[in-house]
Amino acid sequence: MANTPHGGVLKDLYLRDADKQSILAKEAETLPSVVLTDRQLCDLELILNGGFSPLEGFLNQKDYDGVVENMRLANGLLWTIPITLDVSKEQIEESKIAPSKRIALLDPRDYTALAILTVEDVYKPNKAKEAEKVYGANDLAHPAVNYLHNIAKEFNIGGSLEAIQSPSHYDYVANRYTPTELRAHFKKLQWTRVVAFQTRNPMHRAHRELTVRAARQRKAHLLIHPVVGLTKPGDIDHYTRVRVYKALMPKYPNGMAELSLLPLAMRMGGPREAVWHALIRKNHGVTHFIVGRDHAGPGKNSQGVDFYGPYDAQTLTEQYKSEIGIEIVPFQMVTYSPDTDEYIPADEVPEGVKTLNISGTELRRRLKTGLPIPEWFSYPEVVQVLRQSHPPRNQQGFTVFFTGLHASGKNAIARALQVSLNQESTRSVSLLASENSRAELSSELGFSKRDRDINIARQAFVAGELTRAGAAAIVAPIAPYNDARNAARKTIEQYGGFYLIHIATPLEECIKRDRDGIYERAKRGEIKEFTGLDAPYEVPNNADLTIDITKQSVSQAVHEIILLLEKDGYIGSA
């Protein structure tokens, strides 16, 4: 029999409101609306489908204060993470949001009305207190604290929800079970004892061993229940991860394990989040929940120290296990013993026995460089999926971003580099020449700092998309401001390589080389805010290469750039 939901009743608002959904949909067309953020969308889905039972809406101030202060709702039930609907002062004024007002909540992807919120109160949260109490420190190095201060808006709306429809999903639909559906699935399979495994990372042999051990020890079946909502910034995308999980599932004994995807927006809240995760799994009908080392940990704080201890999450879940109502399965790390060809819990390794492990950093290095990944660490089918999504450097895209004054020689070097890379013929090469980019992307913009920054952002977006597709992008704007260049780097390097090349040709030489007379026109006042004359050029302090065309030929400059790319493995031998 499936576990009893938290609070005794599964709050599946889709079932509760099924007979009035068409009426609610028509009403929503007449109401003021709030377009949800990605995190709010994840939270809404789990409120509406019962994953967040006993919640039936976003927290009002009384519930919010109780959760922040002592991990309890106003009715006394255990709840550890604030589930809030944050809005701005402008939204409140525009929609006249006030108690008793009804608000339609819209999907940000297509503006479909998903639910109606009846407002109970509007309140301003104490964000510093929330950071300290919920996440352990008011430190912006924590992703949830950073979200709280820099992304979340200043007010919260509390109130109850009525369900119109669920958010549409177009990926892995067969593996997306609501709590009601998963409970029915367990009943069909006649599963009465179920161990759930939470993950936001790819799974390898060690994870398979860990989960099988948990199921065997508890005489239970296994639910692989990964998060596919929002996870830690920098995590591997959920498409890749789900392909990994699907490749791994046949490695379990037949009938032992099932895969279900959880649309949760993680907060990386460590101990409190572990309790929250356990309550969510209880609502899905699970009887046991694995809490591992540093569960939902965000890493290091601004002082370089881990936010939470490695077993803090296990300690807190154990402390509240009777209220959670689910058996907590604590597991430490397992490590591989080559002598016996098996995985052993790290705390059970006999003294003097050799063990092997590959860290996440080392795995990423092997993927980037194309080095082999041993079968004792991961299955070939899993490695194949990871290599498809994370090809070695010589198959990844990159951007070479030139910056320098007008007529500094950057366009000549950029064109010569394009020819040289085309000679390699290993990837498509696109040159975003400054004059063409201006005309095609930013023809309406002038030369104020704001307009220049917008122009660079647009070129960075295009270069980022080319880089993501595995191409080589060459960008050659003036790009006079550090902030815009750094933003371009951030946009592009999440997809591949980024090289900032400063063409440091002196202004006097640039004026001599200016065959179009642009500098002379600027001196006469015909062109305003001209970089190098009456507008500043901020010399880069983080250029990967600096070139002065008065001291280096175009050929030499291109050769030095090629050497940079070869050193990092983007071109040359695999």
Side-chain angles (χ1 to χ4, degrees), residues 288-310:
H288 300 67
F289 180 56
I290 297 172
V291 178
R293 184 182 184 278
D294 194 27
H295 188 102
K300 299 188 182 300
N301 61 22
S302 55
Q303 283 75 49
V305 178
D306 287 339
F307 273 98
Y308 312 117

Side-chain angles (χ1 to χ4, degrees), residues 9 49 170 235 238 358 374 396 398 420 463 465 538:
V9 178
N49 70 21
Y170 305 101
D235 279 354
H238 82 270
I358 291 179
Q396 294 177 24
F398 61 84
S420 181
E465 291 302 301
E538 297 173 359

Side-chain angles (χ1 to χ4, degrees), residues 51 67 142 145 176 183 203 310 317 351 404 430 438 545 547 562:
V67 169
H142 194 298
V145 176
R176 291 179 179 269
R183 286 168 171 270
M203 292 176 66
T317 50
E351 187 175 349
S430 294
R438 264 277 175 183
L545 185 64
I547 294 168
I562 293 294

